[in-house]
Each structure stands twice: as C-alpha cells, then as structure tokens.
Amino acid sequence: MISLHRSCFLNNAGISGSSSPFSYKLKKLPPASVKVTALGPNRDRNSSVLIENNNNPLKEIKEDGTSSVADVDPNPTVTGEDRDLYYDAAATDDQLVTPWSLSVASGYSLLRDPHHNKGLAFNEKERDSYYLRGLLPPTVISQELQVKKMMCSIRQYQVPLQKYMAMMDLQELNERLFYKLLIDNVEELLPVVYTPTVGEACQKYGSIFRRPQGLFISLKEKGKIHEVLRNWPQRDIQVIVVTDGERILGLGDLGCQGMGIPIGKLSLYTALGGVRPSACLPVTIDVGTNNEQLLNDEFYIGLRRRRATGQEYAELMHEFMSAVKQNYGEKVLIQFEDFANHNAFDLLAKYGTTHLVFNDDIQGTASVVLAGLVAALKVVGGTLADHRFLFLGAGEAGTGIAELIALEISKQTNMPLEEARKKISLVDSKGLIVKSRIDSLQHFKKPWAHDHEPIKKLVDAVNGIKPTVLIGTSGVGRTFTKEVVEAMAALNEKPIIFSLSNPTSQSECTAEEAYTWSQGRAIFASGSPFDPVEYKGRVFVPGQANNAYIFPGLGLGLIMSGAIRVHDDMLLAASEALAAQVTQENFDKGLIYPPFRNIRKISAHIAASVAAKAYELGLATRQPQPKDLVKYAEHCMYNPAYQSYR
Ligand SMILES: NC(=O)C1=CN([C@@H]2O[C@H](COP(=O)(O)OP(=O)(O)OC[C@H]3O[C@@H](n4cnc5c(N)ncnc54)[C@H](OP(=O)(O)O)[C@@H]3O)[C@@H](O)[C@H]2O)C=CC1
Ligand SMILES: CC(=O)C(=O)O
Ligand SMILES: [Mg+2]
C-alpha cells in the first residue's frame, strides 16, 4: 500500500538513498521489492512520483493528485479505500527534505494512523509484517468485539458532550471503527455526533478542541487559499461541506467554532451515504464573529475581530470557490451549511450556475420536509393542494421549504407557481408576511407577501389563516405555545405540526407538548430527535424531519453520476424517493419517516433517483449510465469493515 503524503516530518526507517538523488529503494519494509522513483526534483512541487513493484510500474502519482497508470480506478466511488496505498513516513536523504514525501506506514506509526489503524484487530501475520510485535498486547479481537467494547464505554458517559468527545477521539484513532460504530448504532449515535450534541460541541469547541479535523480558511489566508487547500493531506476530494459559522443551528453566530457542523455533516456523508471519508473535506471560512462572548473567550479559536462583510467577504468566498474548482475540478460537490440568510441565498444564486453546489438549509431541508408532508398526507388525506401551510420563521429553511412545496403543487396541478404560493403563509419576527410590508422585506420573502391584513402574533395567524400544517423554522424554542397547538387542534382533526428548529433547546415545541396539547391527534416531527411519548396509554413515536435524511443520498447520487450541477428536480426526486421508503408498517406505528436504522438503504434509493434525474436532465457526465442505479449506489458505498493488509 503506497501513497504520496505531505509530511511535516520524516523519519529514518525503511528507505535508503540510492545512487540517483531522486531514486529511493525501500528496504526491509513490505513489499521489499517496491522501488520509488521521484521523476522530478522533490523540491519541485510539480514533480511526480513513479511507484514500481519489481520494475512494473504500479502508478504514477502527479503532484496535482492525478495518476497516470490504469491500475488506479478512475471511478473512486466504487473502489472504496483500496486505492489508498500506503506506507509510513520514511527517508534518509537530504533531497527528501521537502513537504512531499513517500510514506511507508508500519509499526508505531501505523497504530497512530486513523485511516489504517485496526488496534487489537491486527492479526498475527499483520503484526509480523507490519512491525507491530510488542506494540500491542497479545490478544487479537474482531472488529465486532471492538464495536461492542466501544459502545459499552460510550454508554457509560452520562453527559452527551463526553460521548461526543469519545466519538471524536475514536475518529482520530481508528476511522473504520468509528464508522462501523456509527453505522451499526446509528439511532443511538446520531444525536451524539449530530444534533443536538454537535450544537453544544460548537459552543464549547475552543475548550474541547484537540486536533484539527478540517480546514480553517480565515482572512489571514486571503490570496493563498489555493495553497491552503493543498495542505490538506487528501487530494481526491468529492464533497466539501463549508460554513462561515454565522448561523449554527438555532444557536446563532459561533464564528470559527462552527467547524463542528461540517465535520458532523461529513461524518454522515460517510456513515449514512457511503461516501469515502478520504473524499470528504470539512471547511470553515473565518471572517470573524459578532459574538461578543466568543470574542472575549480566552479559549476562542477563531479570528478576534468582527465579521467582514461586503466586498471583503465576497472576495474571500470567491477565492475559495475558485480555488476549490481549480484544485478538485468541477465535479466536487460543495454543500453550503449554516450561513446566515443574508449571505446564503446570494451565494447559492451566484455559484449555482458555475459550481456543483447546494444549500442544505434551504434545499436539503425542503426536500426532507416535503417527503414528510407527502407521507403525512397518506394519514391525513387530501393532496398538497388541498392543504394550507403556515410557517413560523421565514428564512432559509422556511422559504426554502415553502418554495419546494409550491413547486410540487404547481407540478401536480398545473397551477401557476404564483397561485400555488398563495396556499402558503409565513410569519417572521415582525409578524405575518403581507403585501403592505413588501418594500421592507428581504428578497427571499417577497414572493410570500400575500394580500392579508397584518398580524403580529402566531396564534392570531393560526386562527386567521386556518392552516392544516404548521411548520416551525424560527430557531426560537417554545414558540409553539399551548395556545398555538390547541388552536391547530381545534381547527384540524389531525393537525400536522413540524418543529424543525435545532438543537432540541430551540425546538418550537417538544414532542410531549405536541401530543398532549393536541390530545394525541398531532402528526408531529422535529428537527432534533425526541423520545417516544406515552399519552393516555398510547405510545407516539415522533419523526425526525432533518436534512440528514437527504444530503448523504443526494451527495452520493451526484457523485456517482458525475453530475455537474444541482437542479431543483433532483431535490424533488430525492424527496419522492424518501417518501417512498415509508412502509405500511411505519405508518401503522404513526411514523412519517422511515427509521434511521435503514438509512443506507434509503440513501441508496435517494442516490439512484437523484442520479437518474441527473442523466435525464443531461447533467450527468459518468457514462455509460449504470443499468441498475440502486445496486450501483450500494456498490459505491464505503464499507468500514477492516481490510486485511498483506
Ligand atoms: N430540521 C432541519 O433539517 C433543519 C432545521 N433548521 C433549523 O431552522 C432554524 C432556522 O434556520 P434558518 O431558516 O436557516 O434561519 P434564518 O435565520 O434564515 O431564519 C429564521 C427566521 O425565523 C424568524 N424568527 C426569528 N425569531 C422569531 C420569532 N420569535 N418569531 C417569529 N419568527 C422568528 C426570522 O425572522 P426575521 O427574518 O424577521 O429575522 C427568520 O425569518 C434553525 O434553528 C435551524 O437549526 C434549519 C435547517 C434544517
Ligand atoms: C439540520 C440543519 O442543517 C440545521 O439545523 O441547520
Ligand atoms: Mg444546517
């Protein structure tokens, strides 16, 4: 296993200099016959390295990360980690004093390499071959037993943040075990690595920060972002989740500490959607923060300045977007996450036509909520067009969902989009969005300014508009008061109530409140998970309406089809695919989303639908189109089972 690594330090194990300053022979370390020849001066960043085995070229890795020999599968999504050929840092010659070196992993270094470490699961042969004798206690255990042991250990922590930190430590120690744990125990661990705990982790990120797990690109890096991207050890990046930390969940501006979100989202790309971990790059853009508490916190890890805006902000973002394309090509997927709405819509509009981008909060959320509504209608009856929708919160999530519902109504009924929008009303911090407010409204709210008298309070809006569906996207907890839920229950036999704001503290109401105040009649879903609720002898299982159902499968579908743009129809396709995964058994239990324990199967179906749409729209570049896209998606998925090292 061989790979080209950027290494800050070199050790003397295993490689001896040869007669040519650019040619090195591996000695001792397996396989002994591998010869490594640097074809250009190692100091030259444009050099490439030829890796041979018994003089047969294995592959040539160029400094830009491309390789020229056919044994490297051109379709990385199907090859899993196989292509991460690998050794530990090793060199003796001065000529190798360069940021780029061949790495040869064995012994102590192998145990400290999260991508290849197997801990006690290294078998006897591997312990011999990889110089591990004595570095591990004698017992050899299976990955399954390691999972069992880790779960016991994680369950002993009472505080969710401790569980989070234990999971992050595991990710840094043994990546495959981390993903095996997460995949096998997804319902238990999702709230640990994702909402709600990731919210607290971001708030305290400065204090709990141990090792960087993503790229921090701050204003200090302006003019150097291309170089900064090259500092990341992996070259073959397929998905980037990027935030600027200004609207982290419903917790506001957490500046640089928002990094927990891209890391968490990308761990779901792998666990839930099967994208290789080495293909995922978490990025935080640090332009400062307006959070005074953080600015005064001695442990804050970001720039201590107020947020850059206007041209300064736009230029940094543009440099980042251009550098990403330059480094990784046009098929790298960029997911915008938790930007404040005054930037989010503009970034999406600006880069949606030049890059493979989507905004998870606007589009991913819309897709998951539409799926939940479509499923809920099977219980409540009627078509989307028969319903009236009221939102508390008219930002990214609120208007994003509203627009996708309107698009779907318009598609289903041939109704003009303008007409379909009239079935949807939104309330923001100033009250109902109405025509008389139009001049002062942000552009994304204007399509929702209907003819209606102004209303300040949500409960009055409920009584005035008489919605059948109430959706919370305000980021403010406990805003669906008893009065509001009771008003919904008075108007509807089965009121549909979604409290989407995250984390749990910001949920518009709890599951217990929704069921109790509606006398067990509400069809309820929330952004962060709630436990089942018992009400009058019946157990109600709330759904989790979270974009985590959508983005992993959407991303996989885009990657496996080689899509070059995200189209609204793909989000509709993802939504339909998710809704189709709700079984009668789920409905019988009152569920409008399928259980997360089936998420990899669900993601494969979503990916297949998205890929099919990409082919249909002529946006897919990977040819020929696989016959069975679901099977292909499953085949592409990363499997965290250990590989044996020969
Ligand atoms: N479940 C899921 O998958 C997802 C959940 N979310 C959650 O949704 C929430 C909102 O996110 P997002 O839309 O991006 O945020 P935005 O900041 O874009 O929008 C928030 C909206 O809520 C309004 N608002 C704020 N306070 C109140 C209030 N007291 N009463 C009425 N309206 C209020 C704001 O009004 P104004 O415009 O007047 O300021 C704004 O319109 C967050 O908590 C986030 O975690 C987001 C994405 C996905
Ligand atoms: C889930 C999510 O993306 C959010 O709350 O912002
Ligand atoms: Mg988000």
Side-chain angles (χ1 to χ4, degrees):
M1 297 176 296
I2 303 170
S3 74
L4 199 61
H5 276 252
R6 185 157 188 190
S7 172
C8 307
F9 61 89
L10 300 165
N11 69 33
N12 293 332
I15 287 187
S16 63
S18 75
S19 51
S20 151
F22 306 122
S23 174
Y24 301 89
K25 261 206 170 103
L26 296 173
K27 66 174 185 186
K28 272 189 3 188
L29 294 179
S33 56
V34 169
K35 183 173 140 204
V36 182
T37 312
L39 296 177
N42 276 305
R43 284 198 187 88
D44 175 1
R45 295 194 56 150
N46 295 318
S47 68
S48 58
V49 172
L50 182 68
I51 299 172
E52 294 170 303
N53 190 345
N54 291 331
N55 295 326
N56 296 319
L58 287 175
K59 63 177 173 180
E60 183 182 346
I61 304 174
K62 298 201 174 80
E63 212 276 338
D64 66 3
T66 58
S67 20
S68 66
V69 180
D71 80 311
V72 180
D73 195 317
N75 177 357
T77 55
V78 292
T79 57
E81 297 275 274
D82 291 349
R83 64 202 300 264
D84 283 355
L85 305 169
Y86 195 87
Y87 286 78
D88 179 14
T92 53
D93 197 293
D94 285 349
Q95 296 294 334
L96 273 183
V97 181
T98 159
W100 293 98
S101 71
L102 183 73
S103 298
V104 182
S106 68
Y108 197 71
S109 305
L110 180 55
L111 295 180
R112 265 147 194 79
D113 174 352
H115 308 300
H116 298 87
N117 182 23
K118 301 200 258 182
L120 292 179
F122 280 112
N123 64 29
E124 303 292 351
K125 264 193 173 163
E126 289 166 339
R127 289 175 190 214
D128 279 332
S129 304
Y130 289 87
Y131 302 87
L132 296 169
R133 287 278 166 212
L135 300 181
L136 291 165
T139 191
V140 175
I141 65 172
S142 66
Q143 195 181 22
E144 285 66 32
L145 192 61
Q146 287 180 311
V147 167
K148 186 175 174 189
K149 190 175 111 183
M150 269 313 294
M151 284 311 293
C152 285
S153 145
I154 283 177
R155 283 176 188 141
Q156 275 170 12
Y157 292 114
Q158 298 301 315
V159 179
L161 192 61
Q162 287 176 329
K163 292 184 193 233
Y164 175 89
M165 288 166 69
M167 285 299 283
M168 291 305 108
D169 284 349
L170 180 60
Q171 194 173 16
E172 285 294 300
L173 182 71
N174 182 337
E175 189 175 79
R176 283 183 180 270
L177 187 57
F178 169 84
Y179 283 112
K180 179 104 177 102
L181 212 67
L182 191 50
I183 291 166
D184 291 357
N185 301 276
V186 66
E187 284 174 337
E188 185 173 346
L189 293 178
L190 204 55
V192 175
V193 300
Y194 192 52
T195 183
T197 313
V198 71
E200 187 185 354
C202 290
Q203 288 174 311
K204 300 178 179 162
Y205 207 74
S207 305
I208 65 172
F209 179 81
R210 295 187 193 188
R211 266 184 279 184
Q213 293 172 289
L215 266 186
F216 295 91
I217 298 177
S218 78
L219 287 167
K220 285 190 199 172
E221 279 68 59
K222 191 164 185 309
K224 302 176 213 158
I225 297 181
H226 179 64
E227 295 294 303
V228 172
L229 289 178
R230 292 159 82 95
N231 288 345
W232 187 250
Q234 307 291 347
R235 314 292 298 153
D236 186 16
I237 298 300
Q238 294 175 324
V239 190
I240 293 173
V241 176
V242 58
T243 188
D244 71 357
E246 193 168 4
R247 196 285 278 143
I248 294 298
L249 307 177
L251 302 171
D253 182 352
L254 297 184
C256 192
Q257 302 196 163
M259 181 55 112
I261 293 293
I263 291 168
K265 293 267 177 186
L266 283 165
S267 66
L268 304 196
Y269 261 101
T270 298
L272 278 49
V275 178
R276 279 182 302 121
S278 57
C280 298
L281 173 58
V283 176
T284 291
I285 303 284
D286 185 353
V287 294
T289 178
N290 296 339
N291 183 327
E292 289 299 329
Q293 205 182 329
L294 288 179
L295 287 172
N296 294 319
D297 178 350
E298 61 177 327
F299 297 133
Y300 181 56
I301 55 170
L303 289 183
R304 274 172 212 278
R305 55 158 284 173
R306 294 186 71 75
R307 278 189 178 273
T309 57
Q311 197 178 341
E312 196 180 9
Y313 179 86
E315 280 177 6
L316 192 74
M317 281 307 298
H318 192 68
E319 188 187 336
F320 168 70
M321 295 301 289
S322 308
V324 163
K325 210 164 168 178
Q326 197 183 345
N327 269 279
Y328 307 121
E330 69 169 345
K331 282 183 267 179
V332 61
L333 172 63
I334 304 170
Q335 171 169 326
F336 290 125
E337 192 68 51
D338 289 10
F339 284 77
N341 61 39
H342 54 89
N343 289 318
F345 288 97
D346 294 349
L347 287 170
L348 185 59
K350 182 166 178 187
Y351 295 106
T353 53
T354 54
H355 289 64
L356 181 68
V357 290
F358 77 102
N359 182 300
D360 188 36
D361 302 297
I362 302 172
Q363 297 169 288
T365 314
S367 186
V368 75
V369 172
L370 180 61
L373 291 173
V374 167
L377 295 192
K378 294 201 174 141
V379 182
V380 175
T383 64
L384 277 176
D386 297 329
H387 285 264
R388 281 179 309 284
F389 305 84
L390 179 65
F391 286 76
L392 183 73
E396 295 165 64
T399 60
I401 302 164
E403 186 68 5
L404 202 66
I405 295 174
L407 268 175
E408 184 61 14
I409 292 177
S410 166
K411 274 199 168 176
Q412 285 179 4
T413 60
N414 282 329
M415 190 186 289
L417 187 59
E418 283 296 302
E419 281 305 302
R421 285 185 180 140
K422 289 188 181 150
K423 295 179 177 294
I424 304 169
S425 303
L426 295 100
V427 171
D428 65 10
S429 66
K430 298 186 179 63
L432 188 66
I433 295 181
V434 289
K435 266 254 165 71
S436 55
R437 291 178 54 194
I438 196 138
D439 291 342
S440 63
L441 291 174
Q442 291 146 288
H443 65 89
F444 51 86
K445 292 181 184 169
K446 286 186 196 281
W448 310 101
H450 306 316
D451 282 317
H452 201 287
E453 65 190 40
I455 298 181
K456 284 270 177 232
K457 285 173 63 187
L458 177 63
V459 68
D460 295 337
V462 170
N463 286 320
I465 286 161
K466 303 194 183 346
T468 54
V469 179
L470 177 66
I471 298 178
T473 50
S474 63
V476 185
R478 307 300 177 268
T479 33
F480 289 173
T481 57
K482 187 163 187 269
E483 220 185 352
V484 167
V485 175
E486 283 179 351
M488 283 297 290
L491 289 164
N492 302 287
E493 177 52 33
K494 287 186 188 297
I496 298 173
I497 300 177
F498 287 1
S499 299
L500 298 183
S501 293
N502 297 315
T504 317
S505 58
Q506 312 309 110
S507 187
E508 281 78 7
C509 68
T510 65
E512 189 175 6
E513 288 165 346
Y515 294 123
T516 311
W517 294 338
S518 67
Q519 297 105 37
R521 287 187 282 121
I523 299 194
F524 177 77
S526 55
S528 297
F530 281 106
D531 286 337
V533 173
E534 202 182 319
Y535 175 75
K536 294 199 172 163
R538 223 185 118 190
V539 175
F540 294 86
V541 188
Q544 188 177 351
N546 193 293
N547 47 34
Y549 271 112
I550 293 292
F551 67 77
L554 172 70
L556 181 62
L558 294 167
I559 292 169
M560 74 188 214
S561 61
I564 48 162
R565 295 288 176 270
V566 178
H567 191 283
D568 275 347
D569 284 354
M570 296 174 183
L571 292 146
L572 285 173
S575 186
E576 279 164 27
L578 175 58
Q581 292 299 307
V582 191
T583 61
Q584 191 53 49
E585 193 192 338
N586 300 150
F587 283 124
D588 293 344
K589 288 186 187 154
L591 289 171
I592 51 167
Y593 288 101
F596 262 115
R597 65 176 169 277
N598 298 336
I599 188 67
R600 280 169 79 95
K601 176 175 159 265
I602 297 164
S603 293
H605 281 269
I606 292 175
S609 296
V610 168
K613 190 55 75 178
Y615 283 105
E616 188 188 318
L617 294 169
L619 292 171
T621 59
R622 183 152 295 149
Q623 300 295 346
Q625 175 177 347
K627 280 200 181 75
D628 185 334
L629 283 166
V630 175
K631 271 210 179 112
Y632 184 63
E634 282 166 350
H635 174 67
C636 288
M637 284 183 165
Y638 164 83
N639 178 350
Y642 289 141
Q643 295 181 316
S644 65
Y645 302 154
R646 280 151 296 150

